[in-house]
């Protein structure tokens, strides 16, 4: 086996298309659609424990009220983003995807898309449209900067869609596409408004480790300017093994209501395999390539 690390997703897709690589991981949505129509490759896809989400600075004067973060959530057309941009079957209805098992709550009321309700909620909080249609309160325009990074090629695309969807409810969004390190730097110095990121809940076997680092207390890739003492207590109890299902459900419910981060889509891992290769299996936890099961067709 010869392994090649290729940073540009476009190059990886071209290698799969040209037959220069038999097994290609990490494809962008446009390449998935193109390679899926190719007679030379087979595209495989599986849900993985990673969520595309909007990291919100809850300490920002415009974003400190839960009702504002709920309005931002209502402005997002998750189904449209999932199908049109990501080529996924559905958007995220809550933070934890079904692939994390016991942390996903099937009974939870889902996040929805309702821009008119978002406008009403913002109006109730004292925001009113200015001459250019952007909301104004106490002489300040509702203008924010969304920071993201191109390492994952879908993020700038989703950011562009969010800019349009937020403008539809009166929020002016400026997109800053830069290095991923700027997210954690902005968290540390308080300069981040919004960050569009991908958060992996499968880095360790139990997602409680990520919950502890992101919300109990908050970390660079989790909540910002937000703290919930109940979640800290619950997460530490789950982490120590002293509690279980009821506590996990309560943690998910608090995050669904308070929305220190706003879920947008549950990720899928996609790969292209040459037609002459059989036995492909995708590990949703991304810990093995399954090379031991691959073989060349006779």
């Amino acid at each position: 086996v010869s392994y090649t690390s290729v940073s540009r997703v476009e190059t990886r897709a071209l290698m799969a298309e040209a037959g220069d690589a038999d097994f290609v991981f990490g494809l962008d949505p446009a390449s998935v659609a193109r390679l899926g129509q190719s007679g030379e490759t087979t595209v495989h896809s599986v849900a993985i424990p990673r969520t595309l989400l909007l990291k919100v600075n809850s300490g920002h004067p415009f974003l400190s009220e839960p009702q504002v973060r709920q309005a931002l959530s209502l402005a997002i057309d998750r189904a449209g983003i999932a199908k049109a941009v990501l080529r996924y079957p559905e958007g995220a209805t809550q933070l934890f995807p079904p692939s994390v098992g016991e942390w996903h709550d099937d009974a939870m009321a889902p996040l929805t898309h309702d821009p008119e309700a978002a406008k009403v909620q913002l109006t109730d909080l004292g925001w009113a449209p200015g001459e250019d249609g952007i909301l104004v309160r106490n002489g300040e325009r509702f203008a924010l900067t969304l920071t993201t990074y191109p390492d994952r090629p879908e993020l700038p695309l989703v950011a562009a869609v969010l800019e349009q969807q937020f403008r539809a409810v009166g929020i002016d969004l400026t997109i800053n596409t830069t290095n991923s390190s700027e997210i954690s730097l902005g968290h540390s110095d308080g300069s981040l408004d919004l960050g569009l990121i991908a958060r992996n809940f499968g880095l360790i076997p139990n997602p409680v480790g990520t919950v502890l680092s992101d919300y109990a207390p908050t970390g660079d890739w989790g909540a910002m300017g937000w703290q919930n003492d109940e979640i800290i207590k619950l997460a530490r109890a789950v982490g120590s093994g002293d509690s279980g299902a009821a506590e996990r459900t309560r943690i998910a419910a608090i995050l669904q209501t308070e929305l220190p981060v706003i879920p947008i889509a549950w990720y899928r891992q996609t790969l292209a395999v040459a037609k002459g290769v059989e036995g492909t299996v995708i590990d949703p936890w991304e810990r093995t390539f399954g090379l031991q099961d691959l073989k060349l067709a006779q």
Side-chain angles (χ1 to χ4, degrees), residues 25 49 200-206 282-290:
F25 267 81
N200 191 346
F201 294 103
L203 291 174
I204 58 177
N206 192 334
I282 309 179
D283 175 18
W285 297 94
E286 301 178 286
R287 293 172 186 149
T288 175
F289 293 112

Side-chain angles (χ1 to χ4, degrees), residues 65-196:
E65 297 144 311
Q67 295 88 342
V68 174
R69 301 192 293 273
Q70 292 163 8
L72 294 182
S73 177
L74 288 167
I76 299 173
D77 181 3
R78 294 172 176 82
I81 290 174
K83 294 177 181 178
V85 180
L86 302 172
R87 307 296 201 275
Y88 292 171
E90 60 182 353
T93 60
Q94 57 184 279
L95 178 62
F96 300 110
S99 53
V100 298
E102 58 190 12
W103 285 86
H104 179 81
D105 183 5
D106 287 327
M108 181 180 291
L111 298 171
T112 59
H113 175 225
D114 191 340
E116 293 306 315
K119 291 179 183 179
V120 170
Q121 205 146 314
L122 292 169
T123 299
D124 291 344
L125 293 170
W127 292 97
E131 293 181 358
D132 60 354
I134 300 301
L135 297 173
V136 177
R137 185 174 69 179
N138 299 327
E140 294 183 294
R141 296 175 77 250
F142 204 146
L144 300 168
T145 297
L146 186 153
T147 303
T148 192
Y149 46 94
D151 305 53
R152 295 189 176 277
E154 68 280 356
L155 294 182
L157 298 175
V158 173
V161 176
L162 290 177
E163 179 186 12
Q164 299 173 10
Q165 294 180 354
F166 282 1
R167 179 168 286 275
V169 299
I171 299 172
D172 184 16
L173 206 61
T174 299
I175 299 172
N176 177 28
T177 302
T178 181
N179 294 323
S180 58
S181 60
E182 294 298 314
I183 302 287
S184 55
L185 179 62
H187 179 109
S188 299
D189 65 18
S191 63
L192 185 73
D193 293 345
L194 300 168
L196 185 64

Side-chain angles (χ1 to χ4, degrees), residues 44-59:
H44 298 265
S45 176
V46 67
I48 60 176
R50 180 186 290 135
T51 301
L52 189 158
L53 56 85
L54 199 61
K55 173 182 166 72
V56 182
N57 180 1
S58 300

